[in-house]
Amino acid sequence: RAKHLASGYVLYDPKYNLHSAEKLGLMAELRQAIDQNQLVLYFQPKLALKTGRVVGFEALVRWQHPRLGLLGPNDFILAAEQTGLIGSLTRWVMESALTFIQQAALQDDPLRVSVNLSARSLHDANLLEMINEAISASGTKPELLMLEITETAIVLDPVRAKKTLDALSQRGIKLSIDDFGTGYTSLASIKDLPINEIKIDRSFIKNMLTDNKDFMIIRSIIELGHNLGLTTVAEGIEDKDAMHTLLTLGCDEVQGYLICRPKASDQILLWLSENN
Ligand code: C2E
Ligand code: CA
Ligand code: CA
Ligand code: CA
């Protein structure tokens, strides 16, 4: 089900399908939801393709709504941005992700956690201070935190984005370009940013074995990434053949339902102890 939002973006998510009006109505409840701990952070593992080892997780927010059940981010992130609640939400996600890093650090290898940053949050004047506070409070190494940023968020204000990303990078935080290939960044602007990773969007991965153009785009992104010294990650892997093809193309890391669906922290730590 394609949802055409006022912003011009199209979201596709068969599982969650609230109308825009319902989403705005929800915002009245979100403030309380954050305070009452109704938000839940899910985690999905990222695997190194060559070794098959877990190298980190992506944090994906959910809302355990008392009436509506478990809501996905497509139901409330955009509205949270429009109503100014995104700052509180991002802070909650950041603190919860850092807490999880501390829990997961009980493993032998330190595992990195990636947090999605909306456009509004990237350009929030308080972002650096908020992240610094959260890192200090948790006692986590900044190197274990990665931020996923979309090209769209960068092009909104490339000069400001560069300042923010430079500061985050100097702090030791890792940076990833999410949904790579779907936005409007020029390669020149990426060249000047302190990026560590690019994530190939699922829209290319979905049909990579049947659509030769998608295959060629993926191959080119992986080559480009490696030529620029970046880690390449493919998201949304649902079948073994796709995973094998990505391995032969030299893609570094994969994420997807084939490996593991996003799960709450206790469930994912259990999965980790059984699978790594
Ligand atoms: P994204 O960053 O591109 O995240 C990947 C989405 O694909 C997630 O959906 C994930 O559950 C889903 N996914 C993972 N593997 C597969 C697969 O094999 N097949 C399919 N069909 N889907 C897969 P989710 O959790 O509903 O999140 C949707 C979007 O919401 C994310 O897209 C991200 O842009 C945003 N989001 C999630 N958490 C946060 C957050 O804490 N803050 C902000 N600002 N945005 C968030
Ligand atoms: Ca992401
Ligand atoms: Ca993505
Ligand atoms: Ca995506």
Side-chain angles (χ1 to χ4, degrees), residues 178-179 201-203 235:
D178 203 357
D179 302 343
D201 193 60
R202 192 176 83 86
S203 59
E235 67 174 16

Side-chain angles (χ1 to χ4, degrees), residues 5-273:
L5 303 174
S7 57
Y9 298 128
V10 180
L11 296 179
Y12 178 80
D13 199 330
K15 208 161 113 209
Y16 311 110
N17 51 8
L18 297 184
H19 302 297
S20 322
E22 288 177 298
K23 288 184 189 177
L24 278 176
L26 275 179
M27 288 310 105
E29 301 173 77
L30 184 58
R31 171 78 267 168
Q32 222 184 344
I34 298 171
D35 296 339
Q36 295 180 351
N37 254 330
Q38 289 174 16
L39 297 184
V40 187
L41 204 53
Y42 272 39
F43 299 90
Q44 186 180 41
K46 283 167 88 182
L47 233 60
L49 254 180
K50 276 200 199 110
T51 62
R53 299 278 295 179
V54 176
V55 289
F57 301 92
E58 177 175 6
L60 297 156
V61 71
R62 305 284 182 263
W63 178 358
Q64 186 64 58
H65 191 280
R67 271 181 299 118
L68 301 167
L70 194 65
L71 302 177
N74 290 343
D75 275 336
F76 55 90
I77 292 287
L78 194 75
E81 286 216 298
Q82 289 164 347
T83 53
L85 280 171
I86 192 69
S88 309
L89 187 142
T90 302
R91 178 187 292 269
W92 182 89
V93 169
M94 200 66 69
E95 290 171 353
S96 307
L98 290 164
T99 302
F100 178 75
I101 293 178
Q102 294 293 86
Q103 287 174 278
L106 298 173
Q107 320 290 324
D108 298 338
D109 311 314
L111 297 169
R112 181 170 289 156
V113 173
S114 299
V115 168
N116 291 283
L117 220 52
S118 72
R120 251 280 182 54
S121 292
L122 176 67
H123 296 292
D124 185 332
N126 295 321
L127 179 74
L128 282 166
E129 197 190 342
M130 184 274 278
I131 293 181
N132 275 328
E133 280 173 14
I135 287 180
S136 304
S138 70
T140 310
K141 286 201 200 87
E143 290 75 18
L144 296 180
L145 177 65
M146 180 173 256
L147 301 178
E148 296 192 3
I149 296 138
T150 62
E151 298 167 82
T152 315
I154 292 168
V155 289
L156 275 179
D157 190 344
V159 175
R160 192 183 173 126
K162 178 165 164 48
K163 274 191 195 141
T164 303
L165 297 181
D166 281 343
L168 289 165
S169 172
Q170 273 156 25
R171 183 78 176 83
I173 294 160
K174 303 296 170 192
L175 299 168
S176 171
I177 303 285
D178 203 357
D179 302 343
F180 188 81
T182 62
Y184 303 95
T185 3
S186 71
L187 294 174
S189 73
I190 287 214
K191 184 192 77 174
D192 294 327
L193 297 175
I195 299 301
N196 304 95
E197 168 189 289
I198 47 182
K199 284 186 98 164
I200 307 166
D201 193 60
R202 192 176 83 86
S203 59
F204 302 117
I205 306 292
K206 244 181 348 193
N207 306 314
M208 65 177 287
L209 299 175
T210 49
D211 186 328
N212 194 47
K213 284 185 183 164
D214 283 334
F215 178 84
M216 287 304 169
I217 289 171
I218 292 169
R219 203 172 85 173
S220 307
I221 295 177
I222 293 171
E223 201 185 321
L224 170 80
H226 288 166
N227 288 338
L228 295 176
L230 307 173
T231 301
T232 53
V233 184
E235 67 174 16
I237 311 303
E238 294 185 357
D239 65 272
K240 276 209 166 97
D241 291 343
M243 186 151 105
H244 185 257
T245 304
L246 286 160
L247 176 66
T248 61
L249 289 176
C251 185
D252 300 298
E253 297 173 10
V254 282
Q255 231 184 300
Y257 292 169
L258 174 71
I259 299 142
C260 181
R261 283 181 179 259
K263 297 179 197 296
S265 64
D266 49 344
Q267 293 301 308
I268 206 73
L269 289 174
L270 187 65
W271 178 91
L272 187 66
S273 67

